[in-house]
Amino acid sequence: MNIVILSRNIGLYSTKRLVEEGVKRGHQVEVIDPLKCEIIIEKEQPKIYYRDRYLDYVDAIIPRIGSSVTFYGCAVVRQFEMMNVFTTVTSDSIIRSRDKLRSLQRLTKAGVGMPKTVFTNYSRDVEEVINSVGGTPVIIKLLEGTQGLGVVLAETKNAAESVLEAFNGLQARVIVQEFIKEAKGADLRALVVDGQVVGAMKRQGKEGEFRSNLHRGGSANIVKLNEAELKLAMQASRALKLPVCGVDMLQSDRGPLLLEVNSTPGLEGIEKATGRNISRSIITYIERNYK
């Protein structure tokens, strides 16, 4: 099979591992920068031109589209779809997952548990917003934030009001969520491939840090998910139509609560924490389904 990994950086751990496992399985694997692809739109003849050739020989793609290039990256994925090329995640599902508000609305309709959440259109009644999620402390998140950026813990009413007023003044759209104290700065990341959980880790924020992101100095260890946690991960994957994704959740007194679903999860942290060959699982998923 000819497999293309859509990635802007061939040196990234996730990209390198997918190349390694694809080659081991006997496939031709190529890394292509989606921003250097030219989309040719013609009646019944969709094409993609890259550097010196047409990409008309590709059997399957693995999108590794960064959030900063979502628009053009997804346009390239969509063009491959028009060419009947198999993709591990579709362009629509990537776009759906990147819109935090839209994805939370779909997930709650599907019955997925999550922290109490409020979104308003720059409401001046910030006190009511805070009360709606149970009072302080609260988590305030930028809709466009990634890897823990644009996430604030407001521990007092005055702090929450000040942050919300500041974001409103900048016309930055945010969501406000209840703070799950019993999670103690930790969360769970489940890696789903082909609708099944193939690995899970518990991420713990460094001392004094409420965000558990590994990019922010957090640590990770393998964890065995219970039945409710497994169900939530697979339910979230189905709701957003993401057969390959990372599902982040909190452990609370009322059961697991979903934080977000990542359509391009990093593989380094979870492979090292669990010892599982997640990259190989993604390649074998393509083998089972691309035709």
Side-chain angles (χ1 to χ4, degrees), residues 83-99:
M83 296 161 57
N84 296 317
V85 173
F86 178 81
T87 177
T88 54
V89 288
T90 67
S91 56
D92 283 347
S93 62
I94 296 172
I95 292 170
R96 191 181 301 120
S97 70
R98 294 278 163 84
D99 184 334

Side-chain angles (χ1 to χ4, degrees), residues 157-274:
K157 180 181 174 183
N158 285 342
E161 289 179 351
S162 296
V163 172
L164 283 171
E165 287 169 357
F167 279 137
N168 286 347
L170 294 170
Q171 292 195 324
R173 296 191 181 278
V174 298
I175 56 175
V176 181
Q177 286 187 326
E178 69 172 312
F179 177 64
I180 308 300
K181 184 178 180 180
E182 60 267 29
K184 298 178 181 178
D187 70 9
L188 304 178
R189 159 66 65 91
L191 212 300
V192 177
V193 178
D194 204 3
Q196 300 295 316
V197 175
V198 295
M201 62 180 174
K202 186 170 186 175
R203 304 183 297 187
Q204 180 68 55
K206 64 183 180 181
E207 189 174 351
E209 175 61 72
F210 72 96
R211 293 165 293 188
S212 60
N213 304 73
L214 301 184
H215 293 86
R216 310 197 68 82
S219 58
N221 294 288
I222 188 171
V223 67
K224 184 177 181 180
L225 301 183
N226 61 34
E227 186 175 343
E229 292 158 352
L230 287 168
K231 181 180 178 181
L232 183 147
M234 293 184 288
Q235 194 176 10
S237 168
R238 289 194 301 270
L240 295 184
K241 298 182 180 179
L242 283 168
V244 177
C245 61
V247 179
D248 298 338
M249 65 190 98
L250 295 173
Q251 293 174 305
S252 79
D253 292 340
R254 60 182 189 267
L257 301 174
L258 183 129
L259 280 177
E260 65 177 338
V261 182
N262 192 324
S263 57
T264 312
L267 303 180
E268 182 173 10
I270 197 160
E271 284 199 340
K272 291 183 176 179
T274 65

Side-chain angles (χ1 to χ4, degrees), residues 17 46-47 53 58 67 114 123 139 141 207 212 231 245 250 264 271 282-283:
R17 287 286 296 119
K47 297 176 184 176
R53 62 196 183 282
V58 179
S67 59
M114 61 186 67
S123 171
I139 300 293
K141 297 180 179 179
E207 189 174 351
S212 60
K231 181 180 178 181
C245 61
L250 295 173
T264 312
E271 284 199 340
I282 294 172
I283 299 298

Side-chain angles (χ1 to χ4, degrees), residues 55-108:
L55 301 180
D56 53 4
Y57 54 87
V58 179
D59 297 308
I61 60 170
I62 303 174
R64 301 290 305 174
I65 306 296
S67 59
S68 63
V69 297
T70 298
F71 177 78
Y72 197 80
C74 285
V76 173
V77 174
R78 191 179 306 114
Q79 189 76 352
F80 274 115
E81 292 167 5
M82 298 292 290
M83 296 161 57
N84 296 317
V85 173
F86 178 81
T87 177
T88 54
V89 288
T90 67
S91 56
D92 283 347
S93 62
I94 296 172
I95 292 170
R96 191 181 301 120
S97 70
R98 294 278 163 84
D99 184 334
K100 281 193 177 76
L101 180 61
R102 181 183 178 189
S103 62
L104 289 176
Q105 289 173 316
R106 288 181 65 95
L107 289 161
T108 191

Side-chain angles (χ1 to χ4, degrees), residues 118-131:
V118 173
F119 173 77
T120 68
N121 191 36
Y122 310 126
S123 171
R124 294 184 180 277
D125 192 356
V126 292
E127 183 175 359
E128 178 58 30
V129 171
I130 295 166
N131 290 336

